[in-house]
């Protein structure tokens, strides 16, 4: 490195005897730069239950600082036949966590001859998140969102997590990521109990659009490149991911509606009774 790089700051640090940890090196040389500052990050995931199960959608953008790192990253995955998982945070670690989680569930099923309960799957994912606590303390945070169809009670369920592996069951809907506050506000106005599958997908698409409208790290539907949110549906029939054409139909309908009403659909006010 040249002596003029960051005022020679890294030159002296490189010659200093220390550990082989890059995180330690960065903390001592540039404490204002967290280890994950320029790593690709995934952002907004939205999920909601409906009459037949649960929907999970995720935008396709990953960012590295203020730059778009990738326009078509996937953040929503099948974890097994009756569940799905979405990731937010450092993309590389998140993808690795998902692969290990998928393998864990498959391994259990092969050894035991049956699948874990949905509650058991949620607990196992919490253990994986807790295992990354050291990385999370250094800025390499990964937070998943887990949802599935509980065959024992016959309904969809949603679980959120914190960076320390805390597991929390959510009801009706939830969102994670940088655009989650905007998505959740949208869901709060549009969600209704017992929605049909198509209506639930549209509501989640609307929530992602609202997130992208106010959060630069969340990507909206890219009609030019035909890049649409990933949509997963989990019912008593199992996991199903919508094709790009199917997801595109919902995305294009939402965009067309926003051309007429940029702020999105207006939630009806409850009629006062006299």
């Amino acid at each position: 490195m040249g002596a003029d790089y960051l005022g020679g700051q890294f030159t002296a640090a490189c010659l200093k005897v220390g550990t082989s940890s890059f995180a330690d090196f960065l903390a001592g040389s540039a404490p204002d730069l967290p280890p994950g500052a320029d790593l690709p990050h995934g952002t907004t995931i939205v999920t909601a239950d409906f009459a037949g199960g649960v929907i999970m959608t995720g935008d396709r953008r990953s960012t590295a600082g203020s730059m778009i790192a990738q326009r078509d990253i996937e953040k929503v995955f099948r974890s097994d036949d009756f569940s799905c998982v979405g990731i937010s945070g450092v993309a590389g670690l998140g993808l690795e966590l998902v692969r290990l989680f998928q393998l864990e569930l498959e391994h259990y099923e092969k050894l035991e001859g049956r699948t874990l309960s949905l509650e058991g799957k949620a607990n196992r994912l919490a253990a994986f998140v807790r295992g990354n606590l050291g990385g999370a303390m250094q800025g390499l945070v990964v937070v998943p969102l887990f949802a599935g169809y509980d065959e024992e009670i016959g309904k969809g369920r949603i679980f959120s997590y914190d960076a320390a592996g805390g597991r929390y069951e959510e009801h009706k809907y939830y969102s994670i990521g940088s655009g989650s506050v905007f998505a959740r506000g949208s869901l709060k106005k549009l969600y209704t109990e017992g929605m049909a599958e198509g209506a639930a997908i549209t509501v989640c698409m609307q929530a992602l659009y609202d997130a992208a409208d106010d959060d630069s790290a969340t990507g909206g539907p890219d009609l030019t490149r035909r890049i649409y949110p990933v949509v997963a549906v989990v019912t008593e029939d199992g996991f199903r991911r919508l094709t790009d054409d199917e997801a595109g139909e919902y995305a294009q309908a939402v965009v067309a509606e926003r051309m007429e009403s940029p702020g999105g659909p207006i939630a009806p006010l409850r009629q006062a009774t006299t």
Side-chain angles (χ1 to χ4, degrees):
M1 296 182 182
D4 59 343
Y5 186 76
L6 289 183
Q9 182 177 352
F10 277 173
T11 304
C14 289
L15 298 176
K16 182 179 178 180
V17 177
T19 70
S20 58
S21 168
F22 176 74
D24 291 345
F25 168 78
L26 194 60
S29 304
D32 57 316
L33 296 177
D38 293 318
L39 295 175
H41 281 66
T43 48
T44 310
I45 308 294
V46 173
T47 186
D49 64 22
F50 70 101
V54 68
I55 304 286
M56 184 178 288
T57 63
D59 82 303
R60 304 293 294 276
R61 176 177 292 177
S62 70
T63 57
S66 61
M67 302 291 290
I68 296 176
Q70 189 173 343
R71 298 180 187 276
D72 61 351
I73 190 172
E74 298 194 7
K75 310 170 193 175
V76 176
F77 305 91
R78 172 191 177 277
S79 44
D80 73 352
D81 287 342
F82 291 95
S83 63
C84 59
V85 60
I87 57 166
S88 179
V90 179
L93 291 179
L95 294 173
E96 187 67 20
L97 182 146
V98 167
R99 294 189 190 102
L100 289 172
F101 182 53
Q102 290 169 330
L103 184 60
E104 174 80 2
L105 298 185
E106 183 179 351
H107 180 72
Y108 179 92
E109 184 174 352
K110 287 181 176 179
L111 288 183
E112 300 294 333
R114 61 183 179 87
T115 60
L116 268 171
S117 66
L118 193 67
E119 193 92 19
K121 297 170 193 175
N123 290 337
R124 287 303 300 147
L125 184 55
F128 278 100
V129 177
R130 193 174 303 114
N132 185 53
L133 182 58
M137 297 293 288
Q138 299 181 50
L140 303 176
V141 180
V142 177
V143 179
L145 185 59
F146 179 67
Y149 185 81
D150 192 326
E151 297 177 275
E152 296 180 3
I153 61 175
K155 63 177 292 186
R157 298 173 68 186
I158 300 165
F159 298 89
S160 68
Y161 300 83
D162 61 31
R167 191 216 75 176
Y168 314 96
E169 182 165 5
E170 308 295 344
H171 300 284
K172 301 181 180 179
Y173 55 82
Y174 201 70
S175 62
I176 60 171
S178 61
S180 62
V181 63
F182 308 111
R184 211 171 306 160
S186 180
L187 289 166
K188 187 181 293 184
K189 299 298 186 294
L190 300 178
Y191 174 89
T192 57
E193 295 275 2
M195 290 184 295
E197 179 181 312
I201 295 172
T202 298
V203 165
C204 288
M205 283 278 192
Q206 292 280 8
L208 278 181
Y209 192 104
D210 281 325
D213 203 30
D214 288 297
D215 173 46
S216 62
T218 302
D222 191 333
L223 303 187
T224 304
R225 298 180 178 86
R226 294 181 174 82
I227 300 173
Y228 309 114
V230 173
V231 181
V233 181
V234 188
T235 67
E236 63 179 350
D237 296 323
F239 173 93
R240 178 173 68 91
R241 171 180 163 158
L242 268 62
T243 66
D244 287 342
D245 288 341
E246 289 173 326
E249 289 182 9
Y250 285 99
Q252 290 173 23
V254 168
V255 172
E257 183 178 347
R258 295 294 179 123
M259 294 293 287
E260 300 296 326
S261 177
I266 305 299
L269 295 176
R270 185 185 300 273
Q271 295 295 322
T273 59
T274 56

